[in-house]
Amino acid sequence: MFKALKEKLFSVRQRLETTISEQPADDGVASSTQETPEPVVPQASQPQPATVTPVAHDDEGTKEKKVPGFAQKVVSLVRDREFIISEKDIEESLSDLEIGLLESDVAFSATDAILTKVREDLTGSKRKIGTSVDSVITNALSDALLSVLGEGVNILDFIASREKPVKILFTGVNGTGKTTSVAKVANYLTKNGLTVAIGAGDTFRAGAIEQIDVHGERLGLKVIQHQEGSDPSAVLFDTVQYAKAHNVDVVLGDTAGRFHNRVNLMNQLAKIRRVIQPDLIVYVDEAVAGNDAVIRAEEFAKSVGMDAVMLTKVDMDPKGGAAISIAHAVGKPLIFIGVGQGYDDIVPFEPKAIVADLLAGEA
Amino acid sequence: MLGNLGTNLKDALKKLAGKTVIDRVAVEELVKDLQRALLQADVNVKQVMQLSQTIKKRSLEEEPPKGVTAREHVLKIVYEELVHLVGGKVDVQLGRQTILMAGLQGSGKTTTTAKIARYFKKKGLRVGVICADTFRPGAYTQIKTLCDRVQVNCFGNPKETDARKIVAEGLQHLKDEVIIVDTQGRHALEDELIQEIIDLNEMTHATHRWLVLDAALGQQAREQARRFHEAVQIDGVIITKMDGTAKGGGALSAVSETGAGIVFVGAGETVEDLEWFDPDSFISRLLGMGDLKALAEKVQESIQEEDIDVNAMLSGKFTLRDMYKQLEAVNKMGPLKQVLSMLPLGGMEVPDGAIDVTSTKMERYRIIMDSMTNIEMDDPTVLNGSRVQRIAMGAGATLEEVRELIKYYKMMKRTFKNLKGGEKGMQRLMKKFGRFS
């Protein structure tokens, strides 16, 4: 995942580094050769996502974010042995980064937000000459990415912390892979020692009930189903009742795919929510989705709510920009990614690890 | 498709209005707006950059013909370049043929297969469908159910795991004129599955190989389309799920990658929701130039005997009876918004309130109108308090609902009246376009 993005980030970083490290030499005064009083690499040099950006560190004294004049640069260099990064220095690299993000399918609005953040963090920030250039940029980028990707969630801990049966509802638009994801998650949970029952809540699409039924059979799980066209709330209610009666740990509720602009269908989902009171609503979307990912995620979050996101078909589009778009739009953690057609093709998602990996050295 | 691109462009074009010399700043702004809109619509980044450069260059360098304003000149360039982006028109032949459906998982192949089967069936051809999806559980049940619904033959075997075998048997078994082979979803990085579709293509000697793409598909569309094209030479693209908010720009990259045009657009969950795609009309609509041809066709196709008099409506003679007929026709003709989008309104905005009446409300309105007398239907001005009360009683509606209906009617009437006003300028422009193209 994120491979293309990683390559892009790496090249952008390199360019940013060259533009930035050339800076003091251009000004011609007190170049870094003379003096390195501070220990080299004073701040976190390795990509530690949690660290604050350097701006926060150096905000003693004047914190002018305006375009720094030449004199100011000199003063800053001589007195503080720092130099100021101006917007101009990084503009080209940033527009490169923008294209990179867009090409990785990060939605337009999310790209905008990330760029603004990196720009804010970098421009006008003063950097002590001895500081590793790498850390300034890495921190700015990882901070920006982390702020959109949010904290991870451990599903097993979550389930352990809730009263049994823990009800998990899957929602999303058509064709993102909800039913397959339900089967995969069921398999994942079973492997981790939990008992699972599935509710065949997609009563609309022809063949959907058969599909989940076959999955249940293969995985040896109970699938509660009604006829095609019946009320999904009733199916899922029955599933919860079954789980209570049989002491099942987790209930997974499948639902029919629906578009967020269909008021009636969204109301139906709201009804399901009222009836079964899910502990966790998982919104399923696909990695190949472009800008629409943001719009629909927002709509789903608004009308039926969502607690977590699962991204499917990552094997199809390993760039993973949709993850960033959705996370940016709704600020909900990504719990799983689907990476293939088999039951085991599911990976828990850890934003910190991903971002660290994304920014670590060469691609 | 491409969503608010229209609005953005219209705004940008307004800035050029009345200018005789093309203003560099205005053009740059237009190009920027265009870029933003296209990127938001998921059109391939490289393609967007290329397109905007071309438009900018042509707008500034090409000499506008005499008598053409700057705005018309730029509009024409934008129009031509966008038509180019959307690709050529694909004619659907009605005859003996085999169609192979290809696409990613979850793009809507099976649903689309049923829709296409229905399309050919409606045109009077015998259609047979082969279900070659041996992987996804329930796939056969799905296509079989849908085929039964539209009454076409369906061949498949949920027990068989070899798609090639099923197709071979299916080809022997089905003797229909149009054979559609629904395949398993696959993506370009799965070599085995790509090999399978290559084999299926050879076995069936498919006349057409259509690639089904989700409207929400992002930048990945180009790469996927390229690999599919390499494997089986895609000759048509079908965009699905256009009823959501997705703009379908990703699928356009597939068009440029394969050189194949868009054949159909799917915009709904039922088997009727399939539209044949005409690039010219589409862009005309997008730029607010209207598409009277499509409107005429649509009107003819869906409302023959009821005959709504569009001209009378535009001239302001719009009674409740017209509205009643219109509501009846709405179901067949598609939403009013779509119908209005075919009228040459230029940059004029139709009030959202006139459009955002949901279909359930429409149904209520119809019921209420059923309780009206002929006199009331022909001359709504006679409606007074006691009449409103009687209508409400008769229709089992509240007084508020009846009043709301009357309010809605008045708004519609006003809207149609305004349409007429906006028409003239656009007509002149359209004539000009007629000359260009």
Side-chain angles (χ1 to χ4, degrees):
Chain A
M1 192 171 180
F2 294 129
K3 197 160 165 244
L5 191 57
K6 188 170 165 180
E7 279 162 24
K8 196 81 196 178
L9 283 179
F10 185 67
S11 79
V12 167
R13 249 169 75 210
Q14 273 186 325
R15 286 189 45 189
L16 274 174
E17 276 162 30
T18 43
T19 38
I20 291 170
S21 45
E22 273 165 9
Q23 209 55 44
D26 286 351
D27 288 337
V29 208
S31 72
S32 52
T33 38
Q34 279 177 310
E35 47 206 322
T36 357
E38 305 104 316
V40 193
V41 199
Q43 287 159 6
S45 65
Q46 67 268 75
Q48 244 176 36
T51 44
V52 205
T53 40
V55 207
H57 295 302
D58 316 274
D59 59 1
E60 357 81 54
T62 46
K63 202 192 169 184
E64 278 163 285
K65 288 230 165 183
K66 305 259 162 54
V67 185
F70 178 72
Q72 217 186 335
K73 270 187 188 168
V74 175
V75 168
S76 156
L77 266 171
V78 173
R79 197 177 38 192
D80 309 324
R81 294 176 217 96
E82 289 174 339
F83 63 87
I84 300 167
I85 302 164
S86 83
E87 196 159 343
K88 245 198 201 149
D89 299 335
I90 54 172
E91 204 43 61
E92 206 177 315
S93 304
L94 282 185
S95 89
D96 237 32
L97 177 64
E98 179 176 15
I99 303 248
L101 288 169
L102 287 172
E103 280 183 337
S104 292
D105 261 334
V106 178
F108 199 79
S109 51
T111 303
D112 242 20
I114 294 174
L115 282 182
T116 315
K117 184 132 194 351
V118 173
R119 187 175 287 134
E120 262 174 22
D121 284 359
L122 282 181
T123 48
S125 75
K126 294 186 204 161
R127 190 177 65 81
K128 288 214 165 53
I129 277 168
T131 319
S132 150
V133 194
D134 201 38
S135 71
V136 177
I137 298 149
T138 310
N139 283 341
L141 274 179
S142 81
D143 210 47
L145 285 176
L146 263 188
S147 77
V148 298
L149 280 178
E151 295 287 312
V153 158
N154 186 326
I155 185 87
L156 297 173
D157 290 349
F158 176 82
I159 290 173
S161 72
R162 290 297 180 116
E163 201 180 310
K164 306 271 152 73
V166 179
K167 292 154 283 186
I168 303 177
L169 186 67
F170 288 77
T171 65
V173 299
N174 312 55
T176 53
K178 279 176 299 305
T179 305
T180 309
S181 297
V182 167
K184 284 180 184 175
V185 172
N187 184 43
Y188 177 84
L189 295 178
T190 319
K191 287 216 165 141
N192 282 284
L194 294 160
T195 50
V196 178
I198 297 173
D202 184 352
T203 55
F204 177 80
R205 181 166 58 93
I209 297 174
E210 286 79 1
Q211 184 181 0
I212 193 86
D213 196 38
V214 171
H215 282 313
E217 216 170 277
R218 287 185 195 161
L219 295 169
L221 295 171
K222 179 76 181 173
V223 175
I224 308 292
Q225 57 190 45
H226 288 189
Q227 275 172 345
E228 191 185 320
S230 57
D231 183 358
S233 312
V235 182
L236 297 179
F237 181 81
D238 284 356
T239 315
V240 175
Q241 292 307 312
Y242 170 87
K244 279 182 183 157
H246 292 77
N247 229 351
V248 172
D249 298 328
V250 186
V251 169
L252 300 180
D254 188 18
T255 61
R258 63 202 71 220
F259 278 112
H260 42 290
N261 52 2
R262 292 295 169 79
V263 179
N264 294 346
L265 289 176
M266 292 310 269
N267 286 343
Q268 186 191 52
L269 212 48
K271 179 182 171 188
I272 295 176
R273 192 185 169 181
R274 279 198 307 276
V275 170
I276 71 163
Q277 307 275 347
D279 296 275
L280 192 72
I281 300 178
V282 177
Y283 171 74
V284 183
D285 206 346
E286 52 191 0
V288 285
N291 278 280
D292 194 45
V294 169
I295 303 169
R296 58 205 198 189
E298 277 172 354
E299 282 299 318
F300 266 87
K302 209 164 64 187
S303 52
V304 286
M306 70 172 78
D307 305 308
V309 178
M310 169 155 185
L311 197 68
T312 60
K313 307 184 195 173
V314 176
D315 52 326
M316 219 182 265
D317 185 0
K319 285 182 290 196
I324 296 176
S325 306
I326 297 171
H328 171 257
V330 293
K332 296 296 176 198
L334 196 56
I335 47 168
F336 284 115
I337 55 178
V339 293
Q341 305 237 52
Y343 292 120
D344 290 320
D345 295 327
I346 178 171
V347 183
F349 183 83
E350 287 163 32
K352 281 191 183 167
I354 292 271
V355 173
D357 178 54
L358 200 61
L359 297 171
E362 292 144 73
Chain B
M1 207 191 307
L2 296 178
N4 55 359
L5 180 60
T7 338
N8 286 7
L9 279 179
K10 280 174 219 159
D11 284 351
L13 283 168
K14 261 184 210 151
K15 286 172 197 146
L16 287 168
K19 289 197 171 128
T20 40
V21 184
I22 290 159
D23 179 351
R24 175 175 277 273
V25 181
V27 169
E28 262 165 25
E29 216 166 298
L30 173 93
V31 167
K32 216 170 178 182
D33 283 350
L34 182 71
Q35 258 179 15
R36 182 174 279 263
L38 290 173
L39 284 175
Q40 276 173 344
D42 289 321
V43 179
N44 187 278
V45 177
K46 289 195 183 77
Q47 238 175 328
V48 171
M49 298 304 161
Q50 222 170 14
L51 181 88
S52 49
Q53 284 313 313
T54 317
I55 290 180
K56 196 158 133 191
K57 204 166 146 231
R58 285 189 59 192
S59 305
L60 294 173
E61 284 175 10
E62 277 177 26
E63 195 67 33
K66 273 211 174 87
V68 175
T69 67
R71 179 174 175 273
E72 286 163 2
H73 176 59
V74 176
L75 182 59
K76 175 186 163 249
I77 292 169
V78 172
Y79 173 83
E80 284 172 359
E81 291 299 324
L82 285 177
V83 168
H84 186 66
L85 176 77
V86 173
K89 195 194 292 190
V90 181
D91 281 313
V92 180
Q93 275 140 18
L94 301 175
R96 189 166 277 280
Q97 57 190 307
T98 310
I99 300 164
L100 187 68
M101 307 289 286
L104 307 171
Q105 288 96 342
S107 54
K109 276 176 308 307
T110 305
T111 310
T112 308
T113 303
K115 286 180 183 178
I116 293 174
R118 178 185 174 274
Y119 176 87
F120 283 114
K121 167 138 178 118
K122 283 273 162 192
K123 300 279 179 192
L125 292 163
R126 278 178 290 122
V127 185
V129 171
I130 300 174
C131 171
D133 184 351
T134 52
F135 181 82
R136 182 163 57 98
Y140 176 70
T141 323
Q142 183 183 2
I143 189 72
K144 178 87 179 101
T145 314
L146 293 174
C147 282
D148 287 349
R149 236 177 255 172
V150 295
Q151 297 167 332
V152 302
N153 295 325
C154 178
F155 182 86
N157 181 3
K159 301 252 162 34
E160 178 60 58
T161 52
D162 186 358
R164 297 172 184 88
K165 215 166 158 186
I166 294 184
V167 172
E169 282 172 25
L171 287 175
Q172 295 227 314
H173 184 80
L174 296 171
K175 298 280 173 246
D176 302 291
E177 288 154 306
V178 179
I179 304 283
I180 309 172
V181 183
D182 179 26
T183 63
Q184 176 194 341
R186 69 199 72 219
H187 62 80
L189 308 171
E190 295 171 312
D191 292 333
E192 266 174 50
L193 289 174
I194 289 298
Q195 187 55 46
E196 182 192 278
I197 201 159
I198 293 174
D199 292 349
L200 292 182
N201 183 35
E202 277 168 14
M203 276 173 63
T204 53
H205 304 288
T207 338
H208 296 294
R209 291 149 304 269
W210 286 344
L211 182 63
V212 181
L213 292 174
D214 188 325
L217 203 55
Q219 299 291 327
Q220 183 69 5
R222 191 191 182 100
E223 180 64 14
Q224 294 288 344
R226 191 175 62 79
R227 304 262 186 109
F228 270 104
H229 191 53
E230 272 170 16
V232 293
Q233 283 84 49
I234 298 299
D235 66 349
V237 172
I238 298 171
I239 308 184
T240 59
K241 306 188 203 170
M242 283 303 288
D243 50 330
T245 46
K247 314 292 194 308
L252 291 185
S253 324
V255 169
S256 78
E257 196 56 48
T258 59
I262 299 166
V263 197
F264 289 109
V265 171
E269 291 190 292
T270 58
V271 282
E272 297 87 30
D273 302 321
L274 187 74
E275 273 176 50
W276 182 67
F277 183 81
D278 181 355
D280 288 319
S281 317
F282 167 68
I283 298 293
S284 298
R285 248 185 274 178
L286 197 65
L287 295 179
M289 301 193 301
D291 185 6
L292 292 174
K293 201 178 83 196
L295 181 63
E297 263 170 34
K298 198 140 205 177
V299 170
Q300 217 171 23
E301 184 182 293
S302 53
I303 26 171
Q304 280 144 349
E305 65 275 31
E306 281 118 327
D307 106 274
I308 287 186
D309 191 348
V310 179
N311 286 326
M313 264 158 52
L314 286 176
S315 69
K317 263 184 239 139
F318 179 66
T319 64
L320 273 170
R321 192 180 297 283
D322 291 325
M323 194 162 96
Y324 185 84
K325 282 181 193 160
Q326 192 192 59
L327 293 189
E328 273 192 322
V330 154
N331 283 334
K332 297 181 198 165
M333 229 159 96
L336 192 60
K337 190 166 190 167
Q338 204 182 346
V339 176
L340 282 178
S341 76
M342 292 176 187
L343 290 168
L345 310 182
M348 209 192 70
E349 289 305 315
V350 179
D352 273 352
I355 293 162
D356 285 347
V357 180
T358 57
S359 50
T360 36
K361 203 158 225 175
M362 289 286 188
E363 194 53 38
R364 286 296 296 159
Y365 286 174
R366 255 176 46 153
I367 293 168
I368 293 172
M369 280 191 272
D370 279 334
S371 287
M372 292 183 181
T373 64
N374 282 337
I375 297 167
E376 286 161 349
M377 291 288 273
D378 289 327
D379 182 12
T381 51
V382 300
L383 288 168
N384 56 21
S386 73
R387 279 178 191 264
V388 166
Q389 188 146 25
R390 195 206 72 244
I391 294 164
M393 294 259 287
T398 61
L399 290 176
E400 281 74 38
E401 274 179 300
V402 181
R403 287 201 195 101
E404 197 188 295
L405 164 72
I406 297 168
K407 216 166 125 193
Y408 174 69
Y409 157 75
K410 280 182 183 155
M411 189 165 61
M412 289 298 293
K413 189 174 174 177
R414 252 204 318 278
T415 305
F416 279 114
K417 229 176 180 170
N418 285 343
L419 285 188
K420 206 199 161 205
E423 204 180 9
K424 268 187 191 153
M426 261 347 260
Q427 256 177 2
R428 194 172 62 93
L429 188 59
M430 293 228 327
K431 258 188 202 152
K432 285 240 164 69
F433 268 94
R435 215 165 57 203
F436 285 140
S437 51

